[in-house]
């Protein structure tokens, strides 16, 4: 287990994001890299000889060094760091505790919200329940979903869904109507509103919860 306390994450964060934008290094490989180099910055700047010790294969190594020549972590990080998107890493204490327990936790989560960091940490500490389902709902399905979700909100649960058409959208909307908190986990970047007709819902979620993705901003 890697001791994240050894890392100055505020200094290292741009390099975590940089590795997250590079395809081919997932959570397990990234943790192996951290154990060898001690930090993402040291790994990003590592020599070819140091990378050989990782035994990741010549093809992946070659792709990484080509990518590193054309990608500036600090420039990329500053593109969205000044806005409402917050790259949350496994080294941050605010990282969702239950998600941290799985074997391949995303090493970066992109968070978009109007809430401050203190409230985000509190939000992640509440019991939560995922509500997902069909994109083509019947009238009865809509009624039942709304009723169940609002009862769960009344019981103090945070409702997690994917902001897709159908059940997901109804679940989020039911939470908002009851004044509860909801989290939308997207299969694209947090700056992408999909489906596009959910723009108003997306904006409402930001005010009462958060939008989250493991994919970098701009990912479709």
């Amino acid at each position: 287990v890697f001791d994240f306390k050894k890392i100055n994450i505020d200094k290292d964060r741009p390099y975590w994001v940089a590795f997250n934008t590079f395809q081919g290094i997932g959570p397990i490989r990234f943790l192996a890299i951290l154990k060898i180099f001690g930090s993402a910055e040291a790994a990003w700047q590592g020599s070819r000889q140091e990378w050989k010790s990782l035994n990741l294969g010549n093809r992946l190594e070659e792709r990484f060094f080509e990518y590193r020549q054309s990608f500036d972590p600090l420039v990329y990080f500053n593109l969205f760091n000044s806005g409402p998107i917050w790259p949350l890493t496994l080294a941050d204490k605010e990282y969702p505790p239950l998600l941290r327990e799985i074997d391949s936790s995303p090493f970066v989560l992109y968070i978009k919200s109007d809430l401050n960091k203190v409230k985000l940490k509190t939000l992640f500490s509440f019991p939560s329940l995922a509500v997902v389902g069909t994109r083509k709902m019947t009238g009865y399905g809509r009624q039942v979903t709304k009723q169940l979700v609002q009862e769960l909100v009344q019981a103090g649960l945070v409702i997690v869904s994917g902001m897709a058409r159908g059940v997901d959208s109804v679940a989020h909307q039911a939470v908002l109507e009851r004044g509860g908190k909801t989290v939308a986990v997207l299969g694209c970047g947090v700056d992408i509103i999909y489906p596009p007709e959910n723009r108003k819902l997306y904006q409402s979620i930001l005010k009462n919860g958060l939008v989250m993705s493991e994919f970098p901003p701009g990912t479709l």
Side-chain angles (χ1 to χ4, degrees), residues 134-145 170:
T134 181
R135 285 160 172 72
K136 297 181 179 180
M137 297 187 71
T138 62
Y140 176 73
R142 181 179 298 273
Q143 178 184 349
V144 170
T145 299
V170 171

Side-chain angles (χ1 to χ4, degrees), residues 99-206:
L99 186 58
R100 190 190 295 276
E101 292 181 10
I102 69 173
D103 291 335
S104 56
S105 309
F107 58 91
V108 177
L109 292 172
Y110 299 91
I111 307 294
K112 189 172 183 181
S113 176
D114 292 341
L115 304 176
N116 60 40
K117 292 182 181 180
V118 174
K119 289 184 178 179
L120 286 176
K121 184 181 178 182
T122 302
L123 182 63
F124 286 140
S125 69
F126 283 124
S128 61
L129 183 73
V131 177
V132 294
T134 181
R135 285 160 172 72
K136 297 181 179 180
M137 297 187 71
T138 62
Y140 176 73
R142 181 179 298 273
Q143 178 184 349
V144 170
T145 299
K146 183 175 180 179
Q147 180 179 341
L148 288 175
V149 166
Q150 291 190 339
E151 289 178 0
L152 292 168
V153 170
Q154 194 69 27
L157 273 70
V158 174
I159 301 301
V160 182
S161 197
M163 214 180 79
R165 294 182 178 96
V167 170
D168 292 28
S169 295
V170 171
H172 288 304
Q173 191 61 50
V175 175
L176 298 171
E177 289 175 3
R178 188 52 64 94
K181 301 296 184 185
T182 188
V183 174
V185 182
L186 307 186
C188 56
V190 293
D191 55 335
I192 306 296
I193 300 175
Y194 185 84
E197 64 265 27
N198 273 352
R199 177 172 297 275
K200 185 176 180 181
L201 176 62
Y202 175 91
Q203 297 296 340
S204 297
I205 291 172
L206 294 180

Side-chain angles (χ1 to χ4, degrees), residues 24-44:
I25 294 180
I28 295 175
R29 277 180 170 169
F30 181 73
L31 289 179
I33 289 171
L34 278 186
K35 288 178 182 178
I36 295 293
F37 287 95
S39 72
E41 181 181 8
W44 185 266

Side-chain angles (χ1 to χ4, degrees), residues 4-13 16 38-39 91:
F4 295 115
K5 294 179 181 178
K6 296 179 179 179
I7 293 178
N8 180 349
I9 190 56
D10 291 330
K11 181 174 181 290
D12 213 37
R13 195 182 310 275
W16 286 60
S39 72

